[in-house]
């Protein structure tokens, strides 16, 4: 394969200034490797905390929201352009729980985006063991469906979660709650709700989600037992929890479910709004740092090519005098920038992968802001990040090389040769 004259000249210029070429390539390498490392760290931590949030939070939660009286009835009765104002609005008196929950569940199952769905009865309770009392919540669930959604089996420290369906008045408690009340599997605990009588329940299992607040307050019971605890009938359901095949569609599906059912549908982004805000801020900070690194590398390439033009000005003039067009001169210097970008990018990908892997093996053995344990720094090895890194590296070098190349193309050979 024959190499063009422009390419030969570009390679010759690069090889004649090995030290400067190496420094420019190292600048690109550093920028690309830092881009990969920071993107790997950002995605790794984001994925970890999203996974932590999904340990206890469904993609969508459907529930009956407390509503305040508004002026919509006045607007429908007095159909004029006046503004209706309701003074001192009060909470509306409405039925607790969801009306016809199992009919709604069957409707929602028809949605092709839904992967899992389960009803829940939530009860605020007081746990009593001996003289110690603690506030918390009991989630009355279909434990088999709950396991499909949140992998309860992997969270179990002792006992069998299936016992909720086998043993009367059984309960699964979080490890934090067990520690505070000095309870073990097989012990009894008294659970009292605001609407029902105290109920003595048997601890058939202890679990951990890694989220401290959940482990210290939440317990699971059979949905029928939770209804009995509250003194409600079998149709009483407070929440419907839904997991989707793609959780990124949760906000759109949630709005559709609100229209379909008339109940509040809270998607996981709303439930974890602070977490998502933290993700965005961290992404802005990391991307700004990477952008500055690549900008510095670009200035290095710009300065090197500028110096090359200054030193080779007479040779450029001769090239133009012998018939090389301005486009050919631009091609020569742009190729130099591209070769520097390719060299730096390829080496940067390797070092970025090496740094990311090294950090993924760093043991930190601590707790997270969400209360979970984190043994190693979470890193993601996401292939598109490596592709993005090489593209950004090449774009930076091309942008840095274009302006010196255009300057070289405008050299007047007559003036330089006379000079």
């Amino acid at each position: 394969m024959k190499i063009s004259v422009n390419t030969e000249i570009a390679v010759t210029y690069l090889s004649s200034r090995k030290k400067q070429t190496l420094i420019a390539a190292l600048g690109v390498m550093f920028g690309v490797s830092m881009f990969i490392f920071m993107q790997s760290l950002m995605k790794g931590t984001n994925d970890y905390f999203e996974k932590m949030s999904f340990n206890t939070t469904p993609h969508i939660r459907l529930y009956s929201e407390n509503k305040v009286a508004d002026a919509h009835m006045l607007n429908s009765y007095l159909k004029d352009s006046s503004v209706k104002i309701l003074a001192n609005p009060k909470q509306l008196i409405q039925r607790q729980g969801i009306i016809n929950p199992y009919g709604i569940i069957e409707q929602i199952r028809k949605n092709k985006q839904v992967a899992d769905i389960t009803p829940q009865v939530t009860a605020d309770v007081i746990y009593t063991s001996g003289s110690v009392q603690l506030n918390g919540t009991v989630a009355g669930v279909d434990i088999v469906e709950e396991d499909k959604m949140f992998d309860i089996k992997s969270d179990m420290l002792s006992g069998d979660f299936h016992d909720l369906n086998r043993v009367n008045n059984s309960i699964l408690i979080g490890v934090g709650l067990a520690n505070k009340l000095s309870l073990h599997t097989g012990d009894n605990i008294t659970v009292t709700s605001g609407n029902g009588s105290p109920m003595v329940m048997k601890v058939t299992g202890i679990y951990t989600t890694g989220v401290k607040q959940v482990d210290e307050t939440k317990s699971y019971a059979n949905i029928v037992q939770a209804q009995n605890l509250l003194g409600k009938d079998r149709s009483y359901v407070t929440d419907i929890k839904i997991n989707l095949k793609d959780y990124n569609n949760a906000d759109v599906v949630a709005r559709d479910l609100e229209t379909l059912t008339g109940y509040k549908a809270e998607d996981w982004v709303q439930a974890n709004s602070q977490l998502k805000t933290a993700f965005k801020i961290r992404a802005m900070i990391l991307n700004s740092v990477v952008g500055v690194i690549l900008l510095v590398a670009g200035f290095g390439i710009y300065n090197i090519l500028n110096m090359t033009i200054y030193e080779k000005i007479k040779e450029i003039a001769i090239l133009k005098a012998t018939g090389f067009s301005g486009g050919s001169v631009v091609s020569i210097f742009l190729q130099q920038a591209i070769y520097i970008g390719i060299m730096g990018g390829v080496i940067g990908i390797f070092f970025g992968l090496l740094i990311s892997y090294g950090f993924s093996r760093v043991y930190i053995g601590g707790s997270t802001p969400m209360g979970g344990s984190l043994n190693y720094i979470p890193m993601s090895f996401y292939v598109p990040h490596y592709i993005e890194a090489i593209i950004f590296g090449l774009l930076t070098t091309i942008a840095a090389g274009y302006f010196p190349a255009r300057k070289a193309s405008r050299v007047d050979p007559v003036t330089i040769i006379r000079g």
Side-chain angles (χ1 to χ4, degrees), residues 323-384:
F324 279 74
S325 64
S328 296
V329 175
V330 169
S331 172
I332 290 170
F333 285 93
L334 268 184
Q335 284 189 63
Q336 292 183 59
I338 291 170
Y339 295 149
I340 291 172
I342 292 173
M343 285 189 292
V346 171
I347 300 172
I349 286 176
F350 173 75
F351 273 96
L353 177 61
L354 191 63
I355 294 170
S356 298
Y357 177 76
F359 270 80
S360 72
R361 307 312 302 163
V362 174
Y363 181 78
I364 54 178
S367 61
T368 70
M370 294 180 65
S373 60
L374 184 60
N375 293 327
Y376 296 93
I377 296 177
M379 302 294 292
S380 170
F381 300 93
Y382 188 52
V383 173

Side-chain angles (χ1 to χ4, degrees), residues 92-350:
L92 293 175
I93 300 174
Q94 54 189 8
R95 183 184 185 274
Q96 289 184 325
I98 296 173
I99 299 173
N100 188 26
Y102 296 101
I104 290 175
I105 288 173
E106 288 307 313
Q107 280 186 299
I108 296 174
R109 284 190 194 278
K110 296 176 183 178
N111 190 319
K112 295 181 180 179
Q113 298 191 65
V114 173
D116 298 296
I117 183 169
T118 184
Q120 176 175 295
V121 174
T122 303
D124 293 325
V125 298
I126 298 174
Y127 301 107
T128 305
S129 178
S131 60
V132 181
Q133 291 187 331
L134 293 174
N135 294 326
T137 59
V138 169
V141 298
D142 178 337
I143 196 63
V144 175
E145 293 297 324
E146 194 78 6
D147 180 54
K148 289 180 182 177
M149 295 185 73
F150 302 112
D151 193 16
I152 302 295
K153 183 178 181 180
S154 66
D155 293 337
M156 296 299 296
L157 297 178
S158 65
D160 185 350
F161 69 88
H162 288 102
D163 285 341
L164 282 188
N165 294 332
R166 300 169 183 160
V167 180
N168 288 333
N169 293 349
S170 57
I171 189 171
L172 301 182
I173 63 174
V175 63
L177 189 60
N179 291 336
K180 287 187 174 183
L181 296 177
S182 299
L183 293 172
H184 303 86
T185 302
D187 292 343
N188 291 330
I189 181 175
T190 302
V191 182
T192 310
S193 72
N195 301 330
S197 302
M199 181 181 291
V200 177
M201 306 185 77
K202 183 176 182 180
V203 177
T204 54
I206 298 174
Y207 71 90
T208 177
T209 63
V211 181
K212 183 178 180 181
Q213 184 178 3
V214 174
D215 290 343
E216 291 183 348
T217 59
K218 185 177 179 180
S219 62
Y220 289 106
N222 183 284
I223 190 167
V224 174
Q225 297 297 334
Q227 290 164 343
N228 292 339
L229 185 65
L230 291 171
K232 300 293 185 179
D233 59 37
R234 298 295 175 262
S235 67
Y236 182 75
V237 169
T238 58
D239 308 89
I240 296 175
K241 297 187 290 188
I242 304 155
N243 273 0
L244 306 177
K245 294 174 182 176
D246 183 359
Y247 64 80
N248 293 310
N249 297 330
D251 56 341
V252 176
V253 176
R255 303 295 78 77
D256 292 340
L257 292 180
E258 285 184 345
T259 303
L260 175 68
T261 65
Y263 289 108
K264 173 67 176 177
E266 181 183 63
D267 61 76
W268 70 275
V269 177
Q270 292 175 321
N272 299 279
S273 57
Q274 291 181 336
L275 185 63
K276 295 300 290 184
T277 301
F279 288 171
K280 291 179 181 178
I281 293 173
R282 185 165 61 247
M284 290 174 62
I285 294 172
L286 294 181
N287 288 333
S288 297
V289 172
V290 171
V292 170
I293 293 172
L294 289 174
L295 186 63
V296 171
F299 274 117
I301 295 169
Y302 175 83
N303 289 331
I304 288 173
L305 292 181
N306 252 342
M307 288 298 297
T308 301
I309 291 169
Y310 179 77
E311 293 178 359
K312 306 289 185 180
I313 193 72
K314 290 187 177 180
E315 296 176 23
I316 295 170
I318 293 170
L319 288 174
K320 295 196 71 175
T322 55
F324 279 74
S325 64
S328 296
V329 175
V330 169
S331 172
I332 290 170
F333 285 93
L334 268 184
Q335 284 189 63
Q336 292 183 59
I338 291 170
Y339 295 149
I340 291 172
I342 292 173
M343 285 189 292
V346 171
I347 300 172
I349 286 176
F350 173 75

